Amino acid sequence: VNDLPDFFELVGEGWQADLVATGDRLMVEHSDLGLLRMGDETVVAYRYRDVKALSMAREAGNMPIAVLARRSSARERRSDPDALVPHENAFFSMLADQAFTHNPPLHEHTRRMLGRQFLLHNVHRFDEVALEAARSALVALPGRVSGAADFAEAFARPYVGAFWGAIIGMLPEESAEVVDLMRTVRRVFMLERTPEDTAAADWAAARYVDIVCRATDRGLSGGNELLAQMAADLEAIGEPGKAGSLGAYMAANLFDGFHTVGVAVANTLYVLLAEGRYEDLFSDATLLARASVEALRIASPLLLTHRYTLSPLEYEGVELPVGTGIAMLWGSPNLDPSVFESPHEFRWDRETQVLFTFGGGPHLCPGRNAARMLVEHALSLFVAEGVCFRLVPGVDYRWEAASAMRELVEFPVEVRRPG
Ligand code: HEM
């Protein structure tokens, strides 16, 4: 690892402002280089071939919660660098129940428990719930004739909040509060945080867990079928380290449902509008499924997570000892010019390729089918209802700076609906 080129030297100051731009630069200027060194304990993978190979490597597991909390808290700008945030705080203790921080033998069970509910062949049992959530969120978009709104605020976040809320039997006011809390919890994705950011995210995470636990307990006693199946799965797990209650498990593992799927719905519409492709959906219904794949290739919501070597891993002559963090820049391989011609251009007829929007290999996102279904239902409802959107002229649409999440700072749109 010590012989690898140094990431920080290559990318220079300000690299964290835009992870996609940094990845683009590396792929163009250093396409000959593979892994880069990011300090003593971490390497970074950004090219398509490296991310693909490493995502499949069994030796590269999830980063255990104590390591993740320690390294993540180092992102905080603080006067006392030794005063790290303990992983017992609310956000990290929630994350400790997420499959994303588990490794064998526990990982297989906690992953399957979620994944089996959202397999491709059975995710469509939630179609009607999704459509109903989309319909109710659509009502909040302005005027029957025309108006302007922030799309993420007015539609995307309430829509996915209502969907996941309905799945576990939340009251509408509980879903609405969770949607609101997500705006604060998401500060954990900032690549540089202040102690105030950490404290706010932590407070919001505690409240979120509390609401989900209450709703889950209510749903269980009310006979919610999905919760009953998952409770039985949790009960059957004999490995140490599992969540102490189904509510705690649901809060941890649905976090991306409540948060990241909202970003995906917004990013899909934004890319379609920015690339002038939204209108195409009205003339060809078969494009609906392809829209989110291509839009989220260009604007993948989750740009960075860390894998962690559980046993020694040799990759292209580089020996990664146990305990090496592997920063996976998930947004970059989707834009690798050696694989995708004019990678930032939206094309309906792109050849099918393995994409990394949802990660890959043994940790491939178990929520991906639900996420795609939710994006598709939103678009299909817009088409069915004849809803037209336009980016607001003169607005400078910007991505959140220094964030591991590709999310627009603001997303105002003009909305026109048939009167
Ligand atoms: C568009 C929305 C989403 C995106 C972009 C996304 C992205 C990702 C990515 C890139 C990973 C791989 C992380 C890694 O290997 O290090 C992942 C894993 C994971 N995602 Fe998602 N996700 C989304 C939605 C969801 C949803 C809806 C759920 C829950 C219902 C979910 C639950 C998880 C879990 C539990 C893992 C860990 C899997 C494991 O380690 O085996 N995600 N996601």
Side-chain angles (χ1 to χ4, degrees), residues 62 98-100 107 111 114 118 164 253-254 256-257 260-261 264 301-302 305 307 330 356-359 362-367 371:
N62 280 327
Q98 228 229 28
F100 170 60
H107 173 253
R111 175 186 166 78
L114 182 76
F118 301 106
W164 292 107
N253 290 278
L254 293 190
D256 283 296
T260 312
V261 183
L302 187 52
T305 65
R307 293 285 182 85
W330 297 113
F356 294 96
T357 314
F358 294 99
H363 300 282
L364 176 66
C365 176

PDB file of all heavy atoms in Angstrom, residues 62 98-100 107 111 114 118 164 253-254 256-257 260-261 264 301-302 305 307 330 356-359 362-367 371, ligand 1:
ATOM      1  N   ASN A  62     -17.661  -5.588   4.968  1.00  0.00           N
ATOM      2  CA  ASN A  62     -18.152  -4.285   5.425  1.00  0.00           C
ATOM      3  C   ASN A  62     -17.248  -3.750   6.531  1.00  0.00           C
ATOM      4  O   ASN A  62     -16.623  -4.521   7.259  1.00  0.00           O
ATOM      5  CB  ASN A  62     -19.579  -4.426   5.958  1.00  0.00           C
ATOM      6  CG  ASN A  62     -20.590  -4.469   4.838  1.00  0.00           C
ATOM      7  OD1 ASN A  62     -20.407  -3.841   3.792  1.00  0.00           O
ATOM      8  ND2 ASN A  62     -21.667  -5.209   5.034  1.00  0.00           N
ATOM      9  N   GLN A  98     -27.353  -2.040  11.081  1.00  0.00           N
ATOM     10  CA  GLN A  98     -27.539  -2.105   9.638  1.00  0.00           C
ATOM     11  C   GLN A  98     -26.663  -3.190   9.044  1.00  0.00           C
ATOM     12  O   GLN A  98     -25.475  -3.289   9.397  1.00  0.00           O
ATOM     13  CB  GLN A  98     -27.171  -0.739   9.023  1.00  0.00           C
ATOM     14  CG  GLN A  98     -28.240  -0.255   8.061  1.00  0.00           C
ATOM     15  CD  GLN A  98     -27.685   0.193   6.733  1.00  0.00           C
ATOM     16  OE1 GLN A  98     -26.652  -0.295   6.321  1.00  0.00           O
ATOM     17  NE2 GLN A  98     -28.389   1.093   6.083  1.00  0.00           N
ATOM     18  N   ALA A  99     -27.221  -3.964   8.115  1.00  0.00           N
ATOM     19  CA  ALA A  99     -26.446  -5.037   7.468  1.00  0.00           C
ATOM     20  C   ALA A  99     -25.140  -4.490   6.893  1.00  0.00           C
ATOM     21  O   ALA A  99     -24.140  -5.208   6.803  1.00  0.00           O
ATOM     22  CB  ALA A  99     -27.279  -5.665   6.367  1.00  0.00           C
ATOM     23  N   PHE A 100     -25.148  -3.216   6.535  1.00  0.00           N
ATOM     24  CA  PHE A 100     -24.002  -2.550   5.934  1.00  0.00           C
ATOM     25  C   PHE A 100     -22.765  -2.519   6.857  1.00  0.00           C
ATOM     26  O   PHE A 100     -21.652  -2.272   6.403  1.00  0.00           O
ATOM     27  CB  PHE A 100     -24.438  -1.127   5.550  1.00  0.00           C
ATOM     28  CG  PHE A 100     -23.347  -0.219   5.136  1.00  0.00           C
ATOM     29  CD1 PHE A 100     -22.548  -0.522   4.048  1.00  0.00           C
ATOM     30  CD2 PHE A 100     -23.113   0.957   5.828  1.00  0.00           C
ATOM     31  CE1 PHE A 100     -21.533   0.332   3.668  1.00  0.00           C
ATOM     32  CE2 PHE A 100     -22.104   1.812   5.456  1.00  0.00           C
ATOM     33  CZ  PHE A 100     -21.305   1.493   4.368  1.00  0.00           C
ATOM     34  N   HIS A 107     -23.695 -11.239   8.843  1.00  0.00           N
ATOM     35  CA  HIS A 107     -24.107 -10.469   7.662  1.00  0.00           C
ATOM     36  C   HIS A 107     -25.124 -11.171   6.775  1.00  0.00           C
ATOM     37  O   HIS A 107     -26.138 -10.593   6.380  1.00  0.00           O
ATOM     38  CB  HIS A 107     -22.854 -10.097   6.850  1.00  0.00           C
ATOM     39  CG  HIS A 107     -23.170  -9.459   5.539  1.00  0.00           C
ATOM     40  ND1 HIS A 107     -23.019 -10.103   4.334  1.00  0.00           N
ATOM     41  CD2 HIS A 107     -23.673  -8.240   5.240  1.00  0.00           C
ATOM     42  CE1 HIS A 107     -23.390  -9.303   3.355  1.00  0.00           C
ATOM     43  NE2 HIS A 107     -23.791  -8.167   3.869  1.00  0.00           N
ATOM     44  N   ARG A 111     -28.699  -9.432   6.122  1.00  0.00           N
ATOM     45  CA  ARG A 111     -28.887  -8.992   4.744  1.00  0.00           C
ATOM     46  C   ARG A 111     -30.104  -9.688   4.115  1.00  0.00           C
ATOM     47  O   ARG A 111     -30.958  -9.071   3.510  1.00  0.00           O
ATOM     48  CB  ARG A 111     -27.620  -9.329   3.959  1.00  0.00           C
ATOM     49  CG  ARG A 111     -27.722  -9.025   2.501  1.00  0.00           C
ATOM     50  CD  ARG A 111     -26.499  -9.518   1.749  1.00  0.00           C
ATOM     51  NE  ARG A 111     -26.813  -9.481   0.343  1.00  0.00           N
ATOM     52  CZ  ARG A 111     -26.803  -8.379  -0.385  1.00  0.00           C
ATOM     53  NH1 ARG A 111     -26.457  -7.249   0.151  1.00  0.00           N
ATOM     54  NH2 ARG A 111     -27.142  -8.401  -1.657  1.00  0.00           N
ATOM     55  N   LEU A 114     -33.738  -8.550   5.036  1.00  0.00           N
ATOM     56  CA  LEU A 114     -34.283  -7.404   4.300  1.00  0.00           C
ATOM     57  C   LEU A 114     -34.472  -7.761   2.827  1.00  0.00           C
ATOM     58  O   LEU A 114     -35.535  -7.543   2.241  1.00  0.00           O
ATOM     59  CB  LEU A 114     -33.314  -6.218   4.410  1.00  0.00           C
ATOM     60  CG  LEU A 114     -33.775  -4.933   3.725  1.00  0.00           C
ATOM     61  CD1 LEU A 114     -34.858  -4.251   4.553  1.00  0.00           C
ATOM     62  CD2 LEU A 114     -32.618  -3.977   3.509  1.00  0.00           C
ATOM     63  N   PHE A 118     -37.718  -7.801  -0.713  1.00  0.00           N
ATOM     64  CA  PHE A 118     -37.710  -6.894  -1.868  1.00  0.00           C
ATOM     65  C   PHE A 118     -37.036  -7.506  -3.092  1.00  0.00           C
ATOM     66  O   PHE A 118     -36.401  -6.818  -3.878  1.00  0.00           O
ATOM     67  CB  PHE A 118     -37.048  -5.555  -1.471  1.00  0.00           C
ATOM     68  CG  PHE A 118     -37.758  -4.887  -0.332  1.00  0.00           C
ATOM     69  CD1 PHE A 118     -37.202  -4.869   0.940  1.00  0.00           C
ATOM     70  CD2 PHE A 118     -39.014  -4.317  -0.522  1.00  0.00           C
ATOM     71  CE1 PHE A 118     -37.873  -4.285   2.007  1.00  0.00           C
ATOM     72  CE2 PHE A 118     -39.691  -3.738   0.549  1.00  0.00           C
ATOM     73  CZ  PHE A 118     -39.127  -3.719   1.803  1.00  0.00           C
ATOM     74  N   TRP A 164     -42.615   4.186   2.694  1.00  0.00           N
ATOM     75  CA  TRP A 164     -42.009   3.339   3.735  1.00  0.00           C
ATOM     76  C   TRP A 164     -42.834   3.399   5.010  1.00  0.00           C
ATOM     77  O   TRP A 164     -42.942   2.412   5.745  1.00  0.00           O
ATOM     78  CB  TRP A 164     -40.552   3.745   3.979  1.00  0.00           C
ATOM     79  CG  TRP A 164     -39.706   3.425   2.787  1.00  0.00           C
ATOM     80  CD1 TRP A 164     -39.196   4.330   1.898  1.00  0.00           C
ATOM     81  CD2 TRP A 164     -39.311   2.128   2.310  1.00  0.00           C
ATOM     82  NE1 TRP A 164     -38.511   3.671   0.905  1.00  0.00           N
ATOM     83  CE2 TRP A 164     -38.561   2.327   1.129  1.00  0.00           C
ATOM     84  CE3 TRP A 164     -39.516   0.826   2.758  1.00  0.00           C
ATOM     85  CZ2 TRP A 164     -38.011   1.275   0.398  1.00  0.00           C
ATOM     86  CZ3 TRP A 164     -38.968  -0.219   2.028  1.00  0.00           C
ATOM     87  CH2 TRP A 164     -38.236  -0.003   0.863  1.00  0.00           C
ATOM     88  N   ASN A 253     -32.127  -0.300   8.832  1.00  0.00           N
ATOM     89  CA  ASN A 253     -32.060  -0.807   7.465  1.00  0.00           C
ATOM     90  C   ASN A 253     -32.987  -0.091   6.497  1.00  0.00           C
ATOM     91  O   ASN A 253     -32.837  -0.221   5.287  1.00  0.00           O
ATOM     92  CB  ASN A 253     -32.278  -2.319   7.462  1.00  0.00           C
ATOM     93  CG  ASN A 253     -31.092  -3.032   8.067  1.00  0.00           C
ATOM     94  OD1 ASN A 253     -30.085  -3.260   7.398  1.00  0.00           O
ATOM     95  ND2 ASN A 253     -31.174  -3.338   9.360  1.00  0.00           N
ATOM     96  N   LEU A 254     -33.946   0.680   7.006  1.00  0.00           N
ATOM     97  CA  LEU A 254     -34.804   1.461   6.109  1.00  0.00           C
ATOM     98  C   LEU A 254     -34.326   2.902   5.968  1.00  0.00           C
ATOM     99  O   LEU A 254     -34.947   3.704   5.274  1.00  0.00           O
ATOM    100  CB  LEU A 254     -36.267   1.462   6.589  1.00  0.00           C
ATOM    101  CG  LEU A 254     -37.005   0.133   6.526  1.00  0.00           C
ATOM    102  CD1 LEU A 254     -38.494   0.341   6.804  1.00  0.00           C
ATOM    103  CD2 LEU A 254     -36.824  -0.565   5.175  1.00  0.00           C
ATOM    104  N   ASP A 256     -31.931   4.156   4.261  1.00  0.00           N
ATOM    105  CA  ASP A 256     -31.740   4.521   2.853  1.00  0.00           C
ATOM    106  C   ASP A 256     -33.066   4.601   2.110  1.00  0.00           C
ATOM    107  O   ASP A 256     -33.182   5.289   1.109  1.00  0.00           O
ATOM    108  CB  ASP A 256     -30.819   3.524   2.145  1.00  0.00           C
ATOM    109  CG  ASP A 256     -29.382   3.768   2.516  1.00  0.00           C
ATOM    110  OD1 ASP A 256     -28.871   4.838   2.190  1.00  0.00           O
ATOM    111  OD2 ASP A 256     -28.779   2.882   3.170  1.00  0.00           O
ATOM    112  N   GLY A 257     -34.045   3.847   2.592  1.00  0.00           N
ATOM    113  CA  GLY A 257     -35.378   3.934   1.988  1.00  0.00           C
ATOM    114  C   GLY A 257     -35.963   5.319   2.228  1.00  0.00           C
ATOM    115  O   GLY A 257     -36.394   6.000   1.302  1.00  0.00           O
ATOM    116  N   THR A 260     -32.336   7.961   0.924  1.00  0.00           N
ATOM    117  CA  THR A 260     -31.629   7.917  -0.363  1.00  0.00           C
ATOM    118  C   THR A 260     -32.580   7.740  -1.553  1.00  0.00           C
ATOM    119  O   THR A 260     -32.316   8.234  -2.644  1.00  0.00           O
ATOM    120  CB  THR A 260     -30.561   6.791  -0.319  1.00  0.00           C
ATOM    121  OG1 THR A 260     -29.833   6.948   0.909  1.00  0.00           O
ATOM    122  CG2 THR A 260     -29.610   6.875  -1.466  1.00  0.00           C
ATOM    123  N   VAL A 261     -33.693   7.049  -1.333  1.00  0.00           N
ATOM    124  CA  VAL A 261     -34.620   6.867  -2.458  1.00  0.00           C
ATOM    125  C   VAL A 261     -35.242   8.218  -2.860  1.00  0.00           C
ATOM    126  O   VAL A 261     -35.487   8.471  -4.040  1.00  0.00           O
ATOM    127  CB  VAL A 261     -35.712   5.827  -2.133  1.00  0.00           C
ATOM    128  CG1 VAL A 261     -36.601   5.608  -3.339  1.00  0.00           C
ATOM    129  CG2 VAL A 261     -35.088   4.505  -1.717  1.00  0.00           C
ATOM    130  N   ALA A 264     -32.897   9.711  -5.091  1.00  0.00           N
ATOM    131  CA  ALA A 264     -32.927   9.042  -6.406  1.00  0.00           C
ATOM    132  C   ALA A 264     -34.099   9.534  -7.266  1.00  0.00           C
ATOM    133  O   ALA A 264     -33.945   9.754  -8.469  1.00  0.00           O
ATOM    134  CB  ALA A 264     -33.021   7.531  -6.212  1.00  0.00           C
ATOM    135  N   PRO A 301     -26.863   8.504  -6.475  1.00  0.00           N
ATOM    136  CA  PRO A 301     -26.998   9.201  -5.189  1.00  0.00           C
ATOM    137  C   PRO A 301     -25.853   8.936  -4.216  1.00  0.00           C
ATOM    138  O   PRO A 301     -25.289   9.860  -3.643  1.00  0.00           O
ATOM    139  CB  PRO A 301     -28.327   8.667  -4.643  1.00  0.00           C
ATOM    140  CG  PRO A 301     -29.092   8.231  -5.850  1.00  0.00           C
ATOM    141  CD  PRO A 301     -28.051   7.716  -6.805  1.00  0.00           C
ATOM    142  N   LEU A 302     -25.495   7.661  -4.034  1.00  0.00           N
ATOM    143  CA  LEU A 302     -24.491   7.341  -3.013  1.00  0.00           C
ATOM    144  C   LEU A 302     -23.122   7.245  -3.666  1.00  0.00           C
ATOM    145  O   LEU A 302     -22.857   6.336  -4.457  1.00  0.00           O
ATOM    146  CB  LEU A 302     -24.858   6.027  -2.308  1.00  0.00           C
ATOM    147  CG  LEU A 302     -24.015   5.624  -1.110  1.00  0.00           C
ATOM    148  CD1 LEU A 302     -23.905   6.736  -0.077  1.00  0.00           C
ATOM    149  CD2 LEU A 302     -24.577   4.373  -0.443  1.00  0.00           C
ATOM    150  N   THR A 305     -18.731   4.646  -0.128  1.00  0.00           N
ATOM    151  CA  THR A 305     -18.768   3.883   1.131  1.00  0.00           C
ATOM    152  C   THR A 305     -17.411   3.178   1.256  1.00  0.00           C
ATOM    153  O   THR A 305     -16.628   3.163   0.300  1.00  0.00           O
ATOM    154  CB  THR A 305     -19.885   2.809   1.188  1.00  0.00           C
ATOM    155  OG1 THR A 305     -19.630   1.816   0.205  1.00  0.00           O
ATOM    156  CG2 THR A 305     -21.268   3.389   1.013  1.00  0.00           C
ATOM    157  N   ARG A 307     -15.345  -0.286   2.068  1.00  0.00           N
ATOM    158  CA  ARG A 307     -15.174  -1.707   2.352  1.00  0.00           C
ATOM    159  C   ARG A 307     -13.957  -1.857   3.262  1.00  0.00           C
ATOM    160  O   ARG A 307     -13.183  -0.900   3.438  1.00  0.00           O
ATOM    161  CB  ARG A 307     -14.954  -2.477   1.050  1.00  0.00           C
ATOM    162  CG  ARG A 307     -16.187  -2.493   0.141  1.00  0.00           C
ATOM    163  CD  ARG A 307     -17.240  -3.449   0.665  1.00  0.00           C
ATOM    164  NE  ARG A 307     -18.402  -3.514  -0.205  1.00  0.00           N
ATOM    165  CZ  ARG A 307     -18.491  -4.303  -1.270  1.00  0.00           C
ATOM    166  NH1 ARG A 307     -17.472  -5.059  -1.618  1.00  0.00           N
ATOM    167  NH2 ARG A 307     -19.591  -4.335  -1.986  1.00  0.00           N
ATOM    168  N   TRP A 330     -18.475   4.949  -5.732  1.00  0.00           N
ATOM    169  CA  TRP A 330     -19.480   4.268  -6.552  1.00  0.00           C
ATOM    170  C   TRP A 330     -19.970   5.085  -7.753  1.00  0.00           C
ATOM    171  O   TRP A 330     -20.395   4.528  -8.764  1.00  0.00           O
ATOM    172  CB  TRP A 330     -20.701   3.890  -5.707  1.00  0.00           C
ATOM    173  CG  TRP A 330     -20.416   2.932  -4.604  1.00  0.00           C
ATOM    174  CD1 TRP A 330     -20.486   3.185  -3.269  1.00  0.00           C
ATOM    175  CD2 TRP A 330     -20.006   1.551  -4.712  1.00  0.00           C
ATOM    176  NE1 TRP A 330     -20.153   2.058  -2.540  1.00  0.00           N
ATOM    177  CE2 TRP A 330     -19.853   1.044  -3.397  1.00  0.00           C
ATOM    178  CE3 TRP A 330     -19.748   0.696  -5.780  1.00  0.00           C
ATOM    179  CZ2 TRP A 330     -19.467  -0.269  -3.126  1.00  0.00           C
ATOM    180  CZ3 TRP A 330     -19.366  -0.617  -5.513  1.00  0.00           C
ATOM    181  CH2 TRP A 330     -19.234  -1.078  -4.215  1.00  0.00           C
ATOM    182  N   PHE A 356     -22.798   0.597 -11.042  1.00  0.00           N
ATOM    183  CA  PHE A 356     -22.463   0.557  -9.614  1.00  0.00           C
ATOM    184  C   PHE A 356     -23.288   1.518  -8.767  1.00  0.00           C
ATOM    185  O   PHE A 356     -22.937   1.814  -7.635  1.00  0.00           O
ATOM    186  CB  PHE A 356     -20.947   0.774  -9.437  1.00  0.00           C
ATOM    187  CG  PHE A 356     -20.198  -0.367 -10.021  1.00  0.00           C
ATOM    188  CD1 PHE A 356     -19.704  -0.290 -11.312  1.00  0.00           C
ATOM    189  CD2 PHE A 356     -20.087  -1.555  -9.324  1.00  0.00           C
ATOM    190  CE1 PHE A 356     -19.082  -1.379 -11.896  1.00  0.00           C
ATOM    191  CE2 PHE A 356     -19.468  -2.652  -9.895  1.00  0.00           C
ATOM    192  CZ  PHE A 356     -18.959  -2.571 -11.177  1.00  0.00           C
ATOM    193  N   THR A 357     -24.395   1.954  -9.324  1.00  0.00           N
ATOM    194  CA  THR A 357     -25.303   2.839  -8.591  1.00  0.00           C
ATOM    195  C   THR A 357     -25.691   2.220  -7.255  1.00  0.00           C
ATOM    196  O   THR A 357     -25.857   2.929  -6.254  1.00  0.00           O
ATOM    197  CB  THR A 357     -26.582   3.049  -9.437  1.00  0.00           C
ATOM    198  OG1 THR A 357     -26.182   3.319 -10.773  1.00  0.00           O
ATOM    199  CG2 THR A 357     -27.444   4.138  -8.884  1.00  0.00           C
ATOM    200  N   PHE A 358     -25.870   0.910  -7.242  1.00  0.00           N
ATOM    201  CA  PHE A 358     -26.287   0.207  -6.031  1.00  0.00           C
ATOM    202  C   PHE A 358     -25.165  -0.682  -5.488  1.00  0.00           C
ATOM    203  O   PHE A 358     -25.418  -1.671  -4.805  1.00  0.00           O
ATOM    204  CB  PHE A 358     -27.536  -0.631  -6.311  1.00  0.00           C
ATOM    205  CG  PHE A 358     -28.749   0.210  -6.629  1.00  0.00           C
ATOM    206  CD1 PHE A 358     -29.143   0.421  -7.942  1.00  0.00           C
ATOM    207  CD2 PHE A 358     -29.477   0.817  -5.610  1.00  0.00           C
ATOM    208  CE1 PHE A 358     -30.249   1.220  -8.232  1.00  0.00           C
ATOM    209  CE2 PHE A 358     -30.585   1.613  -5.891  1.00  0.00           C
ATOM    210  CZ  PHE A 358     -30.975   1.815  -7.204  1.00  0.00           C
ATOM    211  N   GLY A 359     -23.912  -0.327  -5.785  1.00  0.00           N
ATOM    212  CA  GLY A 359     -22.798  -1.142  -5.331  1.00  0.00           C
ATOM    213  C   GLY A 359     -22.681  -2.396  -6.185  1.00  0.00           C
ATOM    214  O   GLY A 359     -23.153  -2.423  -7.333  1.00  0.00           O
ATOM    215  N   PRO A 362     -21.110  -9.166  -3.141  1.00  0.00           N
ATOM    216  CA  PRO A 362     -21.875  -9.718  -2.006  1.00  0.00           C
ATOM    217  C   PRO A 362     -22.604  -8.659  -1.173  1.00  0.00           C
ATOM    218  O   PRO A 362     -23.464  -9.005  -0.372  1.00  0.00           O
ATOM    219  CB  PRO A 362     -20.813 -10.415  -1.148  1.00  0.00           C
ATOM    220  CG  PRO A 362     -19.507 -10.203  -1.789  1.00  0.00           C
ATOM    221  CD  PRO A 362     -19.675  -9.462  -3.070  1.00  0.00           C
ATOM    222  N   HIS A 363     -22.283  -7.384  -1.374  1.00  0.00           N
ATOM    223  CA  HIS A 363     -22.958  -6.341  -0.598  1.00  0.00           C
ATOM    224  C   HIS A 363     -23.875  -5.478  -1.464  1.00  0.00           C
ATOM    225  O   HIS A 363     -24.308  -4.406  -1.021  1.00  0.00           O
ATOM    226  CB  HIS A 363     -21.920  -5.470   0.126  1.00  0.00           C
ATOM    227  CG  HIS A 363     -21.086  -6.278   1.063  1.00  0.00           C
ATOM    228  ND1 HIS A 363     -21.539  -6.676   2.300  1.00  0.00           N
ATOM    229  CD2 HIS A 363     -19.845  -6.815   0.917  1.00  0.00           C
ATOM    230  CE1 HIS A 363     -20.597  -7.412   2.889  1.00  0.00           C
ATOM    231  NE2 HIS A 363     -19.578  -7.518   2.062  1.00  0.00           N
ATOM    232  N   LEU A 364     -24.139  -5.965  -2.688  1.00  0.00           N
ATOM    233  CA  LEU A 364     -25.048  -5.242  -3.589  1.00  0.00           C
ATOM    234  C   LEU A 364     -26.304  -4.843  -2.818  1.00  0.00           C
ATOM    235  O   LEU A 364     -26.868  -5.651  -2.066  1.00  0.00           O
ATOM    236  CB  LEU A 364     -25.413  -6.164  -4.759  1.00  0.00           C
ATOM    237  CG  LEU A 364     -26.416  -5.650  -5.777  1.00  0.00           C
ATOM    238  CD1 LEU A 364     -25.853  -4.461  -6.542  1.00  0.00           C
ATOM    239  CD2 LEU A 364     -26.785  -6.763  -6.764  1.00  0.00           C
ATOM    240  N   CYS A 365     -26.748  -3.623  -3.027  1.00  0.00           N
ATOM    241  CA  CYS A 365     -27.847  -3.072  -2.229  1.00  0.00           C
ATOM    242  C   CYS A 365     -29.110  -3.958  -2.251  1.00  0.00           C
ATOM    243  O   CYS A 365     -29.677  -4.202  -3.320  1.00  0.00           O
ATOM    244  CB  CYS A 365     -28.200  -1.693  -2.782  1.00  0.00           C
ATOM    245  SG  CYS A 365     -29.616  -0.976  -1.954  1.00  0.00           S
ATOM    246  N   PRO A 366     -29.547  -4.423  -1.108  1.00  0.00           N
ATOM    247  CA  PRO A 366     -30.762  -5.255  -1.078  1.00  0.00           C
ATOM    248  C   PRO A 366     -32.045  -4.451  -1.274  1.00  0.00           C
ATOM    249  O   PRO A 366     -33.118  -5.029  -1.423  1.00  0.00           O
ATOM    250  CB  PRO A 366     -30.725  -5.892   0.324  1.00  0.00           C
ATOM    251  CG  PRO A 366     -29.833  -5.017   1.140  1.00  0.00           C
ATOM    252  CD  PRO A 366     -28.926  -4.275   0.213  1.00  0.00           C
ATOM    253  N   GLY A 367     -31.935  -3.108  -1.287  1.00  0.00           N
ATOM    254  CA  GLY A 367     -33.129  -2.278  -1.474  1.00  0.00           C
ATOM    255  C   GLY A 367     -33.278  -1.779  -2.904  1.00  0.00           C
ATOM    256  O   GLY A 367     -34.165  -0.984  -3.206  1.00  0.00           O
ATOM    257  N   ALA A 371     -36.157   0.574  -4.687  1.00  0.00           N
ATOM    258  CA  ALA A 371     -35.784   1.935  -5.094  1.00  0.00           C
ATOM    259  C   ALA A 371     -36.181   2.172  -6.550  1.00  0.00           C
ATOM    260  O   ALA A 371     -36.812   3.188  -6.883  1.00  0.00           O
ATOM    261  CB  ALA A 371     -34.285   2.146  -4.903  1.00  0.00           C
TER     262      ALA A 371
HETATM  263  C1  HEM B   1     -31.613   4.770  -4.800  1.00  0.00           C
HETATM  264  C2  HEM B   1     -31.520   4.386  -3.550  1.00  0.00           C
HETATM  265  C3  HEM B   1     -30.333   3.615  -3.020  1.00  0.00           C
HETATM  266  C4  HEM B   1     -29.021   3.693  -3.369  1.00  0.00           C
HETATM  267  C5  HEM B   1     -28.370   4.620  -4.384  1.00  0.00           C
HETATM  268  C6  HEM B   1     -28.305   2.706  -2.576  1.00  0.00           C
HETATM  269  C7  HEM B   1     -26.957   2.440  -2.688  1.00  0.00           C
HETATM  270  C8  HEM B   1     -26.302   1.418  -2.023  1.00  0.00           C
HETATM  271  C9  HEM B   1     -24.929   1.030  -2.234  1.00  0.00           C
HETATM  272  C10 HEM B   1     -23.965   1.706  -3.216  1.00  0.00           C
HETATM  273  C11 HEM B   1     -24.659  -0.012  -1.403  1.00  0.00           C
HETATM  274  C12 HEM B   1     -23.357  -0.812  -1.332  1.00  0.00           C
HETATM  275  C13 HEM B   1     -22.495  -0.376  -0.193  1.00  0.00           C
HETATM  276  C14 HEM B   1     -21.213  -1.163  -0.133  1.00  0.00           C
HETATM  277  O1  HEM B   1     -21.071  -2.222  -0.710  1.00  0.00           O
HETATM  278  O2  HEM B   1     -20.292  -0.681   0.542  1.00  0.00           O
HETATM  279  C15 HEM B   1     -25.862  -0.271  -0.642  1.00  0.00           C
HETATM  280  C16 HEM B   1     -25.995  -1.233   0.348  1.00  0.00           C
HETATM  281  C17 HEM B   1     -27.092  -1.342   1.170  1.00  0.00           C
HETATM  282  N1  HEM B   1     -28.323  -0.740   0.995  1.00  0.00           N
HETATM  283 FE1  HEM B   1     -28.785   0.561  -0.456  1.00  0.00          FE
HETATM  284  N2  HEM B   1     -29.206   2.073  -1.767  1.00  0.00           N
HETATM  285  C18 HEM B   1     -30.465   2.577  -2.018  1.00  0.00           C
HETATM  286  C19 HEM B   1     -31.649   2.178  -1.452  1.00  0.00           C
HETATM  287  C20 HEM B   1     -31.763   1.311  -0.403  1.00  0.00           C
HETATM  288  C21 HEM B   1     -32.994   0.934   0.225  1.00  0.00           C
HETATM  289  C22 HEM B   1     -34.382   1.349  -0.257  1.00  0.00           C
HETATM  290  C23 HEM B   1     -32.677   0.118   1.257  1.00  0.00           C
HETATM  291  C24 HEM B   1     -33.606  -0.554   2.234  1.00  0.00           C
HETATM  292  C25 HEM B   1     -34.838  -0.914   1.939  1.00  0.00           C
HETATM  293  C26 HEM B   1     -31.221  -0.053   1.259  1.00  0.00           C
HETATM  294  C27 HEM B   1     -30.499  -0.813   2.165  1.00  0.00           C
HETATM  295  C28 HEM B   1     -29.158  -1.140   1.992  1.00  0.00           C
HETATM  296  C29 HEM B   1     -28.440  -2.050   2.884  1.00  0.00           C
HETATM  297  C30 HEM B   1     -29.004  -2.751   4.126  1.00  0.00           C
HETATM  298  C31 HEM B   1     -27.132  -2.181   2.361  1.00  0.00           C
HETATM  299  C32 HEM B   1     -25.996  -3.042   2.904  1.00  0.00           C
HETATM  300  C33 HEM B   1     -25.943  -4.363   2.130  1.00  0.00           C
HETATM  301  C34 HEM B   1     -24.843  -5.294   2.560  1.00  0.00           C
HETATM  302  O3  HEM B   1     -23.836  -4.881   3.120  1.00  0.00           O
HETATM  303  O4  HEM B   1     -24.993  -6.497   2.293  1.00  0.00           O
HETATM  304  N3  HEM B   1     -30.715   0.695   0.233  1.00  0.00           N
HETATM  305  N4  HEM B   1     -26.851   0.597  -1.052  1.00  0.00           N
END
